[in-house]
Amino acid sequence: MLLLSGRCAVRIDKLMLEAVARGERSKEIASHLGISERTVKAHLASIYSKLGVDSRAAAIAIAAQRGMLKG
């Protein structure tokens, strides 16, 4: 498993949330970030857990409320 430092992990989370907000699928996110689709899904599961949600839509809503997305 890839281990990331705190700031790097936060940056990856932000990039993924922004991509999800744009409507990108896991496969597209993986291609843009140069990682596997499985890794994207693992990161998204971690993000959902951190935000206390269980879907892309809910993650976007919470991220937007918290000012985590470009706007």
Side-chain angles (χ1 to χ4, degrees):
M1 172 124 206
L2 177 65
L3 297 176
L4 302 171
S5 69
R7 286 186 4 201
C8 187
V10 168
R11 176 80 175 130
I12 294 290
D13 288 357
K14 186 170 173 29
L15 287 171
M16 288 201 183
L17 281 169
E18 289 171 352
V20 169
R22 288 191 302 270
E24 292 184 27
R25 299 179 188 274
S26 295
K27 191 172 193 173
E28 294 169 312
I29 297 169
S31 177
H32 292 144
L33 296 179
I35 58 179
S36 74
E37 186 175 356
R38 183 175 177 177
T39 300
V40 170
K41 290 178 180 180
H43 276 288
L44 289 175
S46 174
I47 291 167
Y48 297 167
S49 177
K50 290 175 191 176
L51 295 176
V53 299
D54 61 3
S55 71
R56 285 177 177 239
I60 305 259
I62 296 294
Q65 287 175 353
R66 295 182 184 177
M68 299 169 68
L69 302 174
K70 288 181 183 177

